[in-house]
Amino acid sequence: MMLVVLRVVVCVHMLIILDLSYCDIQGPISSPFSNLTRLTSLNLAENHLNGSIPSSLLNLQRLTDLDLSWNKLSGQIPNVFDRITNLQTLSLHDNNFQGMLPSSLFTLTRLSQLDCSYNQIEGPLPNELLSNNIIGWSKFSGKFPQLEYLELSNNKLEGKVPKWIHDIPSLFHLKLSHNMFTFLNGSIPSSLSNLHHLVYLVLSRNNLSGKIPNLPSSLFTLTRLSQLDCSSNQIEGPLSDKVAFSNLTELFLEALQLLSNNIIGYSKFSGNFPQLKYLELSNNKLEGKVPKWIHDIHSLIHLKLSHNMFTSIGPISSPFSNLTHLTSLNLAGNQLNSSIPSSLLNLQRLTHLDLSMNDLSGQIPNVFDRLTNLQTLSLHDNNFQGKLPSSLFALTQLSSLDYSNNEIEGPLPNKL
Ligand SMILES: *[C@@H]1O[C@H](CO)[C@@H](O)[C@H](O)[C@H]1NC(C)=O
Ligand SMILES: *[C@@H]1O[C@H](CO)[C@@H](O)[C@H](O)[C@H]1NC(C)=O
Ligand SMILES: *[C@@H]1O[C@H](CO)[C@@H](O)[C@H](O)[C@H]1NC(C)=O
Ligand SMILES: *[C@@H]1O[C@H](CO)[C@@H](O)[C@H](O)[C@H]1NC(C)=O
Ligand SMILES: *[C@@H]1O[C@H](CO)[C@@H](O)[C@H](O)[C@H]1NC(C)=O
Ligand SMILES: *[C@@H]1O[C@H](CO)[C@@H](O)[C@H](O)[C@H]1NC(C)=O
Ligand SMILES: *[C@@H]1O[C@H](CO)[C@@H](O)[C@H](O)[C@H]1NC(C)=O
């Protein structure tokens, strides 16, 4: 297969665009590609290529787009990007590349998309972008002036998130998750709010620390943001920035994930998130009542508040009743100690409900005929009493039901 393909290729020296993605090609990248000197776009994604990138591949001086993603390539990425200065998109993700990112990569001033995620790349990012040996270059401000998409997640990168990342005005997609990054001054800096075009900001699973009020005041001015994920870092402090959250009427945030930090309190926090669909604040130290502003996010589809210290579902008589789009509600591992308010079971679209590991008591209300879409129901490790309600057994979509470790009594129905 490989030989046949390459014969064809070598005959076609005039080739400008070559797409051999999904072709089942195995073995190393062979040298004939380097004779295709007119090539501007080379796509070898989704094959079984292994070995390292031959540096001859990067002799293709006209190359603007190179995609080697989803292969088994390994070794260091060769430090010869100064030969292909026209490169605009580079996709190396989902391989086994090791070592540091080569310094010449950071001279590619025309880059608009760089994706090196899901490799074993290690070491720090350069503090400064290197000059390109062009006289007078240092006077240019942005050195990645066209970069829109920067994806370095799931590697072994460490050290500080360099200042130049905060200075790429065109960036709309920034994902650095699953590395060991820290920020310059320890906490998430306000200068990230220079990135006015950001739509996706994912910093989860790093070593970022900081007080939570610092996070909103800088980031929540990014009005195009649709995903903000700072989960599993070392962020701590009260969720109580009354200033920064007051003007959020146009924040197009669709997902806010701050789970697994050390966030405490929320009392003064008053967000207004008209588009928020996905909210996760689980594994923090939030206590007291589930705050009113959460009950007011009409757009929510997924709400996960598990493993906090909430003692009450809400300040109002019919909690969550306005969240009519909710399909998944997880309140597990809190200290809720009332009975289940029957209004909770008005959420007709609910497919997943987890109330396990609380101190909920009383009878389980017999109103499951309202929840006909329910697929999973976890009520285990509470203090529920009485019989299982008959309406529970009419749930035809249910695939998982766990009510262990309660004080439920009586027989199960003979027939469903
Ligand atoms: C590539 O080009 C070089 C020099 O032009 C030539 O010697 C070599 O045979 C070519 N390789 C292939 C596989 O065509
Ligand atoms: C590449 O894969 C082939 C089998 O497809 C294997 O024989 C060869 O040893 C591999 N080479 C490397 C460098 O892993
Ligand atoms: C770090 O702190 C110094 C001194 O407080 C400040 O001048 C600088 O702007 C901060 N850097 C960032 C990225 O926030
Ligand atoms: C995480 O950051 C702290 C300082 O903020 C530092 O002492 C520690 O070594 C860092 N951990 C890793 C794994 O980089
Ligand atoms: C919120 O909006 C008001 C009125 O437009 C303005 O005066 C205030 O500075 C804004 N607050 C923030 C934190 O942007
Ligand atoms: C539901 O929303 C309406 C309209 O925004 C509001 O008046 C009412 O107080 C809300 N109810 C609850 C229980 O939050
Ligand atoms: C529930 O817990 C709160 C706070 O710990 C307590 O004040 C209240 O009496 C408890 N209610 C019940 C029914 O146990």
Side-chain angles (χ1 to χ4, degrees):
M1 178 66 188
M2 181 68 184
L3 279 178
V4 177
V5 170
L6 285 183
R7 284 259 165 74
V8 175
V9 165
V10 211
C11 296
V12 196
H13 285 257
M14 304 297 278
L15 219 53
I16 292 177
I17 295 173
L18 179 57
D19 186 345
L20 293 172
S21 57
Y22 301 93
C23 281
D24 238 344
I25 308 173
Q26 310 203 347
I29 299 176
S30 37
S31 51
F33 284 110
S34 44
N35 280 19
L36 303 176
T37 53
R38 289 173 181 250
L39 220 52
T40 63
S41 173
L42 176 59
N43 187 349
L44 298 174
E46 302 258 8
N47 285 295
H48 310 283
L49 295 167
N50 64 5
S52 52
I53 303 182
S55 60
S56 61
L57 188 69
L58 305 178
N59 282 339
L60 302 170
Q61 292 188 8
R62 299 195 188 177
L63 216 53
T64 58
D65 303 284
L66 176 60
D67 191 346
L68 302 175
S69 60
W70 296 105
N71 280 291
K72 296 171 184 162
L73 295 165
S74 57
Q76 286 220 315
I77 300 166
N79 191 13
V80 288
F81 287 94
D82 44 352
R83 299 179 193 160
I84 44 172
T85 53
N86 291 323
L87 209 61
Q88 290 169 17
T89 69
L90 178 62
S91 294
L92 301 176
H93 63 89
D94 292 278
N95 279 289
N96 291 312
F97 291 119
Q98 291 125 20
M100 286 174 58
L101 286 173
S103 57
S104 57
L105 195 59
F106 298 95
T107 63
L108 294 172
T109 55
R110 299 194 181 163
L111 268 190
S112 70
Q113 184 177 325
L114 174 62
D115 191 342
C116 296
S117 58
Y118 291 89
N119 280 290
Q120 316 281 333
I121 299 167
E122 56 190 36
L125 296 176
N127 267 335
E128 308 249 345
L129 294 186
L130 302 180
S131 86
N132 214 354
N133 295 329
I134 298 171
I135 295 166
W137 176 245
S138 58
K139 288 178 189 154
F140 288 89
S141 50
K143 294 193 178 168
F144 275 139
Q146 289 156 34
L147 194 63
E148 294 177 346
Y149 188 105
L150 178 59
E151 170 71 89
L152 299 174
S153 56
N154 291 76
N155 278 293
K156 297 175 177 171
L157 293 162
E158 61 186 15
K160 301 194 164 147
V161 177
K163 175 86 173 66
W164 56 261
I165 286 190
H166 315 164
D167 292 334
I168 305 174
S170 45
L171 216 53
F172 85 87
H173 176 117
L174 176 60
K175 293 196 178 176
L176 303 176
S177 52
H178 277 74
N179 280 291
M180 292 178 286
F181 283 123
T182 56
F183 266 114
L184 270 183
N185 287 348
S187 60
I188 294 177
S190 55
S191 50
L192 269 187
S193 59
N194 294 342
L195 304 177
H196 294 297
H197 292 99
L198 268 192
V199 176
Y200 303 99
L201 178 58
V202 177
L203 303 171
S204 56
R205 292 188 190 235
N206 274 291
N207 192 13
L208 309 177
S209 57
K211 298 282 183 218
I212 196 80
N214 176 32
L215 174 68
S217 52
S218 58
L219 298 186
F220 285 76
T221 58
L222 297 171
T223 54
R224 296 191 189 189
L225 216 53
S226 121
Q227 183 185 7
L228 173 59
D229 184 354
C230 293
S231 51
S232 300
N233 279 295
Q234 318 284 326
I235 299 166
E236 54 189 289
L239 190 56
S240 64
D241 194 331
K242 51 190 183 304
V243 185
F245 281 98
S246 55
N247 286 359
L248 284 180
T249 49
E250 291 197 354
L251 188 69
F252 296 118
L253 203 60
E254 292 188 356
L256 173 62
Q257 292 157 277
L258 299 172
L259 59 149
S260 297
N261 285 294
N262 281 306
I263 299 165
I264 55 174
Y266 51 81
S267 49
K268 293 180 195 153
F269 178 96
S270 62
N272 180 10
F273 302 94
Q275 316 251 345
L276 197 64
K277 295 188 174 72
Y278 194 98
L279 176 62
E280 291 200 355
L281 297 170
S282 50
N283 288 87
N284 281 296
K285 294 175 180 159
L286 301 172
E287 57 185 21
K289 295 171 178 172
V290 172
K292 170 114 172 62
W293 61 268
I294 291 182
H295 295 269
D296 288 339
I297 309 175
H298 298 226
S299 48
L300 272 188
I301 289 175
H302 171 103
L303 176 59
K304 189 166 178 181
L305 301 174
S306 57
H307 300 285
N308 278 291
M309 298 183 290
F310 286 118
T311 48
S312 158
I313 286 179
I316 40 185
S317 57
S318 45
F320 302 122
S321 59
N322 275 347
L323 306 188
T324 51
H325 299 286
L326 213 57
T327 63
S328 168
L329 175 61
N330 189 340
L331 296 166
N334 279 287
Q335 296 163 14
L336 305 173
N337 67 354
S338 61
S339 52
I340 300 186
S342 64
S343 63
L344 191 62
L345 304 179
N346 280 339
L347 300 169
Q348 294 185 6
R349 299 202 186 170
L350 221 51
T351 56
H352 303 283
L353 176 60
D354 192 345
L355 301 172
S356 63
M357 296 178 277
N358 279 289
D359 289 318
L360 293 163
S361 56
Q363 288 227 320
I364 299 168
N366 191 13
V367 286
F368 287 94
D369 46 347
R370 300 177 194 161
L371 292 182
T372 50
N373 295 313
L374 207 60
Q375 292 169 17
T376 67
L377 177 62
S378 290
L379 301 172
H380 64 87
D381 293 283
N382 278 290
N383 295 311
F384 290 117
Q385 289 123 25
K387 288 194 214 167
L388 285 180
S390 57
S391 57
L392 197 56
F393 298 98
L395 292 172
T396 54
Q397 309 288 319
L398 203 63
S399 63
S400 165
L401 168 65
D402 189 346
Y403 56 90
S404 55
N405 291 323
N406 279 288
E407 290 160 38
I408 309 282
E409 56 190 30
L412 289 174
N414 276 334
K415 283 206 296 194
L416 291 182

